Amino acid sequence: MRDPDFTLSAGPTTAYPRVLAAQARQITYHYDPAFLDLFRRTERKVAEIFLTRNDVLLMQGEAVLGLEAAARGLVTPGMPVLNLVSGVFGKGMGYWLKDFGAELHELEVPYNDSVDPADVERYLDEHPEIELLTVVHSETPSGTLHDLAAIGPMAHARGVMTLVDCVSSLGGIEFRTDDWQVDIAVAAAQKCLGGPPGITLMTVSEAAWERIGSNPGAPRASYLSMLDWKEKWLEGGAFPFTPSVVDMHGIEASCDQLLEEGLEGSIARHDLAARACRAGVRAMGLDLWPRSEEVTAACVTAIAVPDVLQDVQVRAHCRERYGVMISGGQGAGNLVRIGHMGPTANTLYPVVGLAAVGRTFADLGISVQIGDGLEAALDVLSTASAVAVS
Amino acid sequence: MRDPDFTLSAGPTTAYPRVLAAQARQITYHYDPAFLDLFRRTERKVAEIFLTRNDVLLMQGEAVLGLEAAARGLVTPGMPVLNLVSGVFGKGMGYWLKDFGAELHELEVPYNDSVDPADVERYLDEHPEIELLTVVHSETPSGTLHDLAAIGPMAHARGVMTLVDCVSSLGGIEFRTDDWQVDIAVAAAQKCLGGPPGITLMTVSEAAWERIGSNPGAPRASYLSMLDWKEKWLEGGAFPFTPSVVDMHGIEASCDQLLEEGLEGSIARHDLAARACRAGVRAMGLDLWPRSEEVTAACVTAIAVPDVLQDVQVRAHCRERYGVMISGGQGAGNLVRIGHMGPTANTLYPVVGLAAVGRTFADLGISVQIGDGLEAALDVLSTASAVAVS
Amino acid sequence: MRDPDFTLSAGPTTAYPRVLAAQARQITYHYDPAFLDLFRRTERKVAEIFLTRNDVLLMQGEAVLGLEAAARGLVTPGMPVLNLVSGVFGKGMGYWLKDFGAELHELEVPYNDSVDPADVERYLDEHPEIELLTVVHSETPSGTLHDLAAIGPMAHARGVMTLVDCVSSLGGIEFRTDDWQVDIAVAAAQKCLGGPPGITLMTVSEAAWERIGSNPGAPRASYLSMLDWKEKWLEGGAFPFTPSVVDMHGIEASCDQLLEEGLEGSIARHDLAARACRAGVRAMGLDLWPRSEEVTAACVTAIAVPDVLQDVQVRAHCRERYGVMISGGQGAGNLVRIGHMGPTANTLYPVVGLAAVGRTFADLGISVQIGDGLEAALDVLSTASAVAVS
Amino acid sequence: MRDPDFTLSAGPTTAYPRVLAAQARQITYHYDPAFLDLFRRTERKVAEIFLTRNDVLLMQGEAVLGLEAAARGLVTPGMPVLNLVSGVFGKGMGYWLKDFGAELHELEVPYNDSVDPADVERYLDEHPEIELLTVVHSETPSGTLHDLAAIGPMAHARGVMTLVDCVSSLGGIEFRTDDWQVDIAVAAAQKCLGGPPGITLMTVSEAAWERIGSNPGAPRASYLSMLDWKEKWLEGGAFPFTPSVVDMHGIEASCDQLLEEGLEGSIARHDLAARACRAGVRAMGLDLWPRSEEVTAACVTAIAVPDVLQDVQVRAHCRERYGVMISGGQGAGNLVRIGHMGPTANTLYPVVGLAAVGRTFADLGISVQIGDGLEAALDVLSTASAVAVS
């Protein structure tokens, strides 16, 4: 099977050239002083991106490792936890919480919407026993966003700890760990950082460390243990096991790319790409999946697939015929997604995605105003000031 | 200055990933047996692409090195040479021929046309003294093509030797060295092979070698000497000087890419991309530069720039605002060119080029039917059977 | 801190050039058909290297992930398990087994020795209640080897399941999963395969799957779950979470490298490098760490550090002064190790390692016959038939 | 044929990792603003390495292109030229000079020696008609060096223009263009810069430009023309033809590597490697090719091959058996050469070269004190302060 010409997926996304170059660097022993330096430097760069002074922990596995580790570390039997559910990942967190013994509270909305902060506030006020709030910032499978700037401080003010999945927002959508008083944030590089999957980027507040440290059920001597990393590496300078040297090379490069561009520039770029794409979708006569523009996330544009088709047909045709890899809904509904992440949140990539999806719909019998859509997207791109990088 | 997002130039063009990977291979000594093997293998692969059993010569410099070397090698003072001129490169060959002492005959047409084979035949019949015919197969700066399938045999039948510049056609447009009885053909990898510049790919017939060998003015003991390469390397296994190891790595990889795809597949792909692009140009309400579809070359689509603008403005805006690098006319006229070469003669690249050029024209005040143009290009791409590779 | 000139560590070791090139390939979406193909192909290649028809599972984390997952999956409370301990990793497995509730039996020898198969046989005969035997094939920290060809079948014949850590032997030292009747084998690519860390290579017998499937305590819906991978991926074609795309690129390349060379060739090469190195150590007047040649592993040569020095001094001087990264004993004792793994188990790498270590000892005040040692190593290399690759 | 494990040749030599990474960067159009920037930046970096304020010209072919271009540009029929001959390249320059019409004067010494500056001074004083002096700084094939610090100013003081081949010295051996008043210096990156071949690095004084500009026979409209580059590129910003984009990527990276290390550091490192290697050769009981230590060049150690063997046998055995690629004498005599260039003028590379050559001699029946030689080399390396980079 030939490689794709364009990967416009919801992540892993197209990586920056410097990331790929870094991954080709010779592998070093993990105790080589050059690698030890690189690991420490990368932690500091990740902290800069998270806008935090909390500890940074780079767990050596995809972001679900960090999410599972954090949930296992924080939850004790019977702990009342409020979980916000607006999509597949929020739902999944609820299953874990229950498994790990939490007393589970949920605020759930349809998967094309996000939970209103006012509802969260009301719920927390009515349930002062809640100790932990779990929320997905950007629900990648359905392209929606939670208003974490409101929710974070709201929880903190009530003494509620927060565990946030910001996997697909970090670097492309505003995310302010310290300003928003987030206790544990879990992200990844294969989305808006244009880096490799394989490493969890996470931050942990002092309060969260205390909670985990006092939890007898928190993983210890395990691949899932945050405490092992804290005690052995953060405090002792020894790795609990061999880190993924190659991914670390890629992670540092993706951080460098972002920091050299600047967080603001990157966020503006992701926003522009998403606006152009949404304008194109509407002008084509298609429907966005999210209920309204207000709840859309800039990292991915979710498009409703007309009932006569299935997302999997659309994806397959798009890839086979036009060499463009897009994503489906991963269980969130009958939708396809065009990613705007890292290098693909740039210049004409939204046009490529729209052309591929529009023409695919047409090929499969749906009436689409392709030309109008592409023109509308280009209009948005042309009126905005140029913010592109590569 | 940030790197371009898309290089859709007239060459050097975007290279295939395997080419880039090959260029990152460790450099070897030029007499390392592994490199000697590579050099020999690459010659055989180049011969396969040229469809020839003649010698292949890989001169270690951009294709103009091979063109100059061949012209200097073949021409003797007073030799009657017929040079076909339909563009910048044909014209330049004429200057060289005169410099090197030839009695120069030229058939010249405007730079948006190509010379009619019937005119060539008539001229050769009227001038039986002609010993050499020089012709550019694909005039890259103006996007036109000569009918070499007719011209080659016509010359050979009259005992006229042929020197052909097929730099931008080899690999993307049909070119048959032996069937068309071409004596010396000069090509390059940075066009339809999606490889690096820096090496001339050339073939030399036995008759051409004899002519050069008997020419006392042919370069010897010089960077310009074909005879040095023949005597030292082809016959003696020793390089006349250090070859460009890195470019050779890239050249072999670009040959592998093409041969694995197959010449026919590659040619069909270039043809499809060019047809889609031309359809898009017309539907946008713009003019192709070439006089008619019949004389267009599939490796590049030349678009006339309206008089109120200059090509250089168009190129600069396109690159700066949309991250797309296209080419100007290099002296052939007020035109811009979208390349269809190697990896960019594929799937949606023509759409990217059209979107960039169309929106650039609009930004600069020209009325363009962008949507119609993109839709027309996609129509062509969708109706053709998929022939893409990467 | 500058990069090392030579990484002759105990792994992660120097990677093959083709591995590094593969890691620079553009990242694809994990459901891209090209990546799905790659994942399946790689499983088959890993099976070929394991010499097995059992399932191959590629867990997406360093080998300790697979070891923990397998131990958690197999062990039920009160299960009698025999653990062989000859070093750091064997000892660590015992701690896990106890944590997971096993009734732990251990046969332990000093960390410069390996457990005699006759002792294992006797113990199993005396303890017919044993259900599981855990053993480290090559104890990397101390450079010793267990005779698994004897132990594997011995356990199987008694209905005892085997869980084997062959992390540092696979590909460089004979390892025959099916012939030796191993139930679960856990390996990695960053040792004798010259690949990246970050992925566990493992094989699982039908019997082991049954045991894990019937274990209510086996991890489910977890990063540690083998069952998730079996049910979702092996049987369902869906990943339980995003795999480490870049590492998978590297893993396939490292398998290709090994399979093209051939297992036998690779094993002979590792053996030659280790023999040369051991001869050099002895001729220098230094002591091997392992009690005798019979128990040495070919992937790493462990050298006893004279009492007046500490391994960490030796390593640091060697790296700083001579640009050579070697390994210490990781808790196994006061020793340093020169790795012979993948590309470094080749030609003159043992000489580089010996020169660096010998001269470092001399610089630090130890009397060493450096010249004699290097000459002895070269003697071994020169008399053997050449078996090198790169 | 497998790739070498170590390339310790006289150049092209092993390239720095960052050079290889740069060569894997996507190819850009040569008029892409990013490439234009790169070209200008690289010229400035090359000037810094040459220690000159003269123009830098990057001719797009191996250094012999620049040497031929310069000689053709400077020489007019009947011009009296003094050529110093101490080896193959000096001899070759003489042939060219005669071909181009010069009245040739030569001072020649055996190929294991270099011309005494006092002899040059005497000759110039006796022949005030001499207009041009041509000299090879480091005669790579025989490993000898001319004292250019003396010769350069001596010529300049007498109004004699200088054309210097410093191909294998630049970056590894002191070379001061302006201080030594060199008019044209011609170098390359594939030697002490650890970069790719394929580009001539040259500097041209104002006086040299005047001489060439007034020479009616100087190449014009030719691949060999320095004037084309001056008029079109240096003054006009347009390339005379397509430059070798990939090599330029590599060249800039090799300059960056050197400038970040610093010229002094690099020169000290090459000196140390060469001293260690020479000490090793002598302690092995072998003979250096150069007549005395004073005339040796630090970029390569030339070792006399005992009469019973031929250099080609030694090279072949060394490469085949030990994976080490060294160089022969290229016509200078029966010798082999171990290169100390760029990354290989570092840490233990001289030991690798000595081990390979020493053991090869032994394998071929020559009595060699291998251990003593390696020990002597390590002694030199250990006593010097560490100056390594990579």
Side-chain angles (χ1 to χ4, degrees), chain C residues 107 116-127 154 158:
Chain C
L107 280 173
D116 190 324
D119 293 338
V120 178
E121 187 160 38
R122 195 173 319 118
Y123 199 94
L124 289 178
D125 286 340
E126 288 167 0
H127 297 270
M154 183 183 290
R158 285 160 182 80

Side-chain angles (χ1 to χ4, degrees), chain A residues 3 28 95 128 157 164 249 265 295 336:
Chain A
D3 285 339
T28 56
Y95 294 137
V164 178
H249 287 173
V295 300
V336 290

Side-chain angles (χ1 to χ4, degrees), chain C residues 218-376:
Chain C
R220 284 172 173 81
S222 169
Y223 207 85
L224 281 167
S225 175
M226 294 168 64
L227 293 172
D228 289 3
W229 277 95
K230 178 178 171 58
E231 289 160 17
K232 292 195 182 159
W233 171 248
L234 295 186
E235 295 165 4
F239 293 112
F241 53 82
T242 305
S244 299
V245 175
V246 177
D247 298 294
M248 289 301 301
H249 287 173
I251 297 292
E252 185 184 34
S254 68
C255 291
D256 287 342
Q257 177 78 29
L258 180 53
L259 293 171
E260 288 174 18
E261 176 181 11
L263 267 171
E264 278 186 40
S266 175
I267 290 167
R269 190 161 54 79
H270 283 76
D271 177 64
L272 174 61
R275 279 191 290 120
C277 196
R278 293 196 303 263
V281 169
R282 285 187 314 251
M284 275 193 193
L286 297 170
D287 292 322
L288 292 172
W289 173 263
R291 163 182 78 67
S292 74
E293 290 261 339
E294 291 78 55
V295 300
T296 57
C299 57
V300 70
T301 295
I303 305 167
V305 173
D307 289 347
V308 295
L309 295 177
Q310 284 304 310
D311 60 353
V312 71
Q313 295 170 271
V314 178
R315 261 175 54 191
H317 184 91
C318 201
R319 171 68 169 82
E320 193 182 316
R321 193 57 171 271
Y322 301 109
V324 179
M325 189 71 215
I326 58 169
S327 295
Q330 283 190 269
N334 192 22
L335 58 93
V336 290
R337 293 173 293 156
I338 298 173
H340 318 294
M341 293 178 163
T344 64
N346 211 359
T347 60
L348 299 186
Y349 286 101
V351 172
V352 173
L354 288 166
V357 170
R359 188 64 234 182
T360 290
F361 276 139
D363 290 353
L364 299 178
I366 305 296
S367 165
V368 193
Q369 310 307 315
I370 301 176
D372 293 349
L374 299 181
E375 202 157 326

Side-chain angles (χ1 to χ4, degrees), chain D residues 9-296:
Chain D
S9 66
T13 189
T14 306
Y16 287 107
R18 81 192 290 169
V19 167
L20 302 175
Q23 292 165 182
R25 287 180 51 195
Q26 185 50 270
I27 290 176
T28 56
Y29 187 51
H30 53 308
Y31 285 114
D32 192 289
F35 183 74
L36 294 171
D37 277 5
L38 179 145
F39 207 100
R40 291 292 187 207
R41 277 197 315 265
T42 305
E43 287 170 340
R44 288 192 296 271
K45 291 170 185 177
V46 170
E48 233 181 294
I49 293 170
F50 267 117
L51 297 171
T52 191
R53 281 168 304 183
N54 287 342
D55 279 348
V56 159
L57 210 62
L58 303 176
M59 292 193 79
Q60 304 290 302
E62 202 263 330
V64 300
L65 172 65
L67 289 167
E68 182 182 355
R72 284 185 187 271
L74 289 171
V75 173
T76 48
M79 175 191 283
V81 181
L82 173 58
N83 182 44
L84 308 190
V85 180
S86 66
V88 172
F89 280 96
K91 195 71 182 176
M93 177 53 78
Y95 295 138
W96 264 344
L97 293 169
K98 232 188 293 187
D99 272 8
F100 307 159
E103 177 196 307
L104 182 63
H105 299 243
E106 288 194 330
L107 281 173
E108 181 163 350
V109 293
Y111 287 12
N112 65 345
D113 201 352
S114 60
V115 180
D116 190 325
D119 293 338
V120 178
E121 187 159 40
R122 194 172 320 118
Y123 199 94
L124 289 178
D125 286 340
E126 291 166 359
H127 298 269
E129 72 276 20
I130 300 286
E131 296 182 27
L132 172 68
L133 182 146
T134 53
V135 55
V136 178
H137 186 208
S138 162
E139 259 289 348
T140 339
S142 35
T144 58
L145 194 75
H146 272 116
D147 180 359
L148 208 62
I151 295 169
M154 183 182 291
H156 187 77
R158 286 160 181 79
V160 175
M161 191 157 282
T162 42
L163 165 53
V164 178
D165 170 344
C166 56
V167 169
S168 65
S169 53
L170 190 77
I173 298 173
E174 188 177 44
F175 186 84
R176 313 187 71 87
T177 305
D178 288 359
D179 289 353
W180 297 352
Q181 299 173 300
V182 171
D183 287 288
I184 298 188
V186 178
Q190 75 270 24
K191 308 280 183 177
C192 295
L193 275 73
I199 305 281
T200 302
L201 316 177
M202 66 199 296
T203 66
V204 188
S205 71
E206 203 40 56
W209 277 130
E210 275 164 34
R211 178 80 62 133
I212 299 171
S214 65
N215 178 1
R220 283 173 174 81
S222 169
Y223 206 85
L224 281 168
S225 174
M226 293 168 65
L227 292 172
D228 288 3
W229 276 95
K230 178 176 172 58
E231 289 160 15
K232 292 195 182 161
W233 172 247
L234 295 186
E235 296 166 3
F239 293 112
F241 52 82
T242 306
S244 300
V245 176
V246 177
D247 298 294
M248 289 301 302
H249 287 174
I251 296 292
E252 185 183 34
S254 68
C255 291
D256 288 340
Q257 176 77 30
L258 180 53
L259 293 171
E260 288 175 19
E261 177 180 10
L263 267 171
E264 278 186 40
S266 175
I267 289 168
R269 190 160 55 78
H270 283 76
D271 177 63
L272 175 62
R275 279 192 291 119
C277 196
R278 292 195 303 262
V281 169
R282 286 187 313 251
M284 274 192 194
L286 297 171
D287 293 323
L288 291 173
W289 173 263
R291 167 182 75 68
S292 74
E293 288 261 340
E294 292 78 54
V295 300
T296 57

